Amino acid sequence: MKVVLLGTAAGGGVPQWNCACGPCAKVRAGALPARTQDCLAVSGNGVDWWLLNASPDIRTQITATPLLDPGPGPRDTPVRGVLFTDAEVDHTLGLLTLRGAVGLRVHAPATVLHALDATRAVVDKYAEWTWRQVEPEQTFALAGGLEVTAFPVSGKRPRYAGESPVAGHWVVAYRVFDPATGGIVLYAPCLAGWPLGFDDLVAEADAVLLDGTFYAPSEMGAATGRSGGQSAMGHLPITHTLPELRRHPGVRRIYTHLNNTNPVLDPDSDEHAKLREAGVEVLPDGAVLEV
């Protein structure tokens, strides 16, 4: 199984267009690399590729990834579809960019599909896609040989969604299994807490891509001068999850979905040093894993 980290930043990317915090300033000065918004591409055979989330930066991410180049026909694409972990704007807006592709399959929990009704109405005017509901802890197969299972991790709905008539969890983690190699990747870019049984999912994985949005609970207010708001965003800070990850030294552990205020973006920071000491990684956009 190949996994491409198409983007590794939280909503808005790094630097954010309207932010002059420390990490954003360092990126603009050329001291740190820029990062696009979080998204993965996975494949079991190198031919059929699936996106996990579709960020607003999806065009830039795909065109920067030779493994996703179009062909052999003039309008062929190796991208077969998208799996959504949630309905957040920074994870779903890229669907509109993909509207020119024919036959894509979209997999998402019931709550997310309902929240995307308006987006689906737009896309359906351009191409015929298949929309499939993901059921919790029920494995389904993807073209290319991979098997995927969704595990609910949070009930945090996006701000625009409001109350929903559809029951169910709003946020899931995906376990991606390659039967050919036995490899397992766990992808959880939004983690409001450490759910019961999540340790078992981490322990069996070869690689875990985990929510690293914030380093500390008060980080965003300290970096921007605006207090409040971070706690309601549904992201457990690294200070809470790093002790949990330390219990799994045999697993490759990677933080993704990094907010522009996060000090671990700087490899020279004390916070990044603590990750290094624990054997936990922060990888750049475009990194490729083989599992």
Side-chain angles (χ1 to χ4, degrees):
M1 169 168 39
K2 283 187 171 62
V3 180
V4 183
L5 281 66
L6 297 177
T8 55
V14 186
Q16 283 195 11
W17 70 274
N18 63 341
C19 186
C21 71
C24 286
K26 287 187 176 183
V27 174
R28 291 190 179 96
L32 293 177
R35 293 175 183 266
T36 59
Q37 294 165 93
D38 197 87
C39 183
L40 290 187
V42 299
S43 177
N45 59 4
V47 175
D48 302 287
W49 286 88
W50 295 84
L51 304 178
L52 274 65
N53 293 331
S55 87
D57 301 315
I58 195 64
R59 177 197 168 275
T60 299
Q61 293 167 338
I62 289 176
T63 57
T65 306
L67 289 168
L68 302 181
D69 282 351
R75 298 288 286 182
D76 290 342
T77 174
V79 176
R80 306 297 181 229
V82 185
L83 287 69
F84 285 120
T85 59
D86 53 71
E88 296 292 345
V89 170
D90 50 301
H91 292 162
T92 60
L93 200 58
L95 270 188
L96 295 175
T97 300
L98 301 174
R99 66 189 182 279
V102 176
L104 295 190
R105 294 189 176 186
V106 179
H107 298 261
T111 50
V112 175
L113 289 177
H114 182 267
L116 293 177
D117 275 350
T119 302
R120 179 175 178 176
V122 173
V123 170
D124 284 348
K125 300 296 184 182
Y126 291 86
E128 185 176 343
W129 291 3
T130 303
W131 302 73
R132 297 197 170 181
Q133 183 172 316
V134 171
E135 302 294 345
E137 301 185 35
Q138 292 189 15
T139 301
F140 57 96
L142 299 177
L146 299 179
E147 298 178 0
V148 179
T149 312
F151 293 90
V153 294
S154 172
K156 196 266 179 184
R157 66 169 59 88
R159 189 182 304 177
Y160 71 85
E163 293 297 326
S164 173
V166 178
H169 287 79
W170 278 92
V171 185
V172 299
Y174 283 116
R175 174 190 185 268
V176 186
F177 173 62
D178 184 354
T181 65
I184 297 173
V185 171
L186 180 65
Y187 180 54
C190 296
L191 203 62
W194 196 267
L196 185 67
F198 198 72
D199 262 311
D200 294 336
L201 294 176
V202 173
E204 69 166 357
D206 295 282
V208 175
L209 294 146
L210 193 69
D211 187 347
T213 307
F214 302 110
Y215 183 80
S218 58
E219 168 192 314
M220 194 166 68
T224 63
R226 297 180 179 180
S227 61
Q230 179 178 320
S231 60
M233 295 177 71
H235 297 287
L236 201 62
I238 288 174
T239 53
H240 288 62
T241 59
L242 188 58
E244 309 287 350
L245 291 182
R246 285 181 181 274
R247 297 201 302 269
H248 304 281
V251 178
R252 188 171 186 185
R253 298 149 298 167
I254 301 159
Y255 277 120
T256 190
H257 203 272
L258 305 163
N259 198 58
N260 59 300
T261 57
N262 196 325
V264 303
L265 292 167
D266 187 345
D268 294 328
S269 68
D270 292 341
E271 292 84 357
H272 194 111
K274 291 178 182 178
L275 299 193
R276 220 167 19 242
E277 180 272 329
V280 179
E281 299 173 83
V282 172
L283 298 179
D285 287 12
V288 180
L289 312 179
E290 294 193 8
V291 181

